[in-house]
Amino acid sequence: MIRHCVFIRFRPEITRGEKAAIFAEISALKSRLPGFMAAHIGSNVSPEVGMDKGFGEGFIVDFTDAAARDAYLEDEEHRRTGAKIVAAAEGGIAGIFVYDLEIAG
C-alpha cells in the first residue's frame, strides 16, 4: 500500500469554503480511480506547537499500490485540483509538502 501525504500552508486569504471545495475534489476522485482506497482530510491537531512548520492542513490518500498512486498523479482531474492547491498555497509549490510512505502488507 502507498500512503500519499500532502500538507499545505494555505495563503491567509483562502477561505474555509475554498479549502473545502479543494478537499472535496480530492475525495471525489475515489469513485472513479481504481486502487484509491481512502482519503483522510483535516487540520493539524498535534499539541507539538510549531512542529508543523505552518503546514496546518492537508490530506492523506491511501492507494493499493504504486501503480494506483501513479495513475492518480497522471489523472487530468487530479492535475486540475493540484493546480488549485498550488495557487492557494503560500508561495505556490513552496507551500506544499508531499511525502509518500510504502506500507508493508
Side-chain angles (χ1 to χ4, degrees):
M1 181 179 88
I2 298 291
R3 183 158 285 160
H4 177 67
C5 308
V6 179
F7 305 106
I8 307 159
R9 192 180 313 135
F10 281 107
R11 294 189 341 262
E13 67 272 18
I14 302 301
T15 68
R16 182 177 295 157
E18 289 170 309
K19 294 173 191 178
I22 287 170
F23 292 143
E25 288 181 19
I26 293 294
S27 291
L29 294 171
K30 181 179 187 284
S31 66
R32 59 177 207 57
L33 290 177
F36 185 131
M37 298 167 50
H40 311 279
I41 296 165
S43 298
N44 179 30
V45 296
S46 175
E48 297 178 293
V49 177
M51 294 299 288
D52 64 4
K53 309 292 190 252
F55 292 92
E57 296 175 77
F59 60 94
I60 296 171
V61 178
D62 291 336
F63 295 99
T64 53
D65 54 28
R69 186 260 333 263
D70 295 349
Y72 158 88
L73 294 176
E74 295 299 322
D75 181 76
E76 284 303 315
E77 284 185 42
H78 165 263
R79 287 177 181 257
R80 282 192 291 276
T81 302
K84 291 177 185 179
I85 293 170
V86 171
E90 195 172 292
I93 200 82
I96 303 164
F97 180 76
V98 177
Y99 193 91
D100 287 5
L101 293 170
E102 187 166 17
I103 308 295

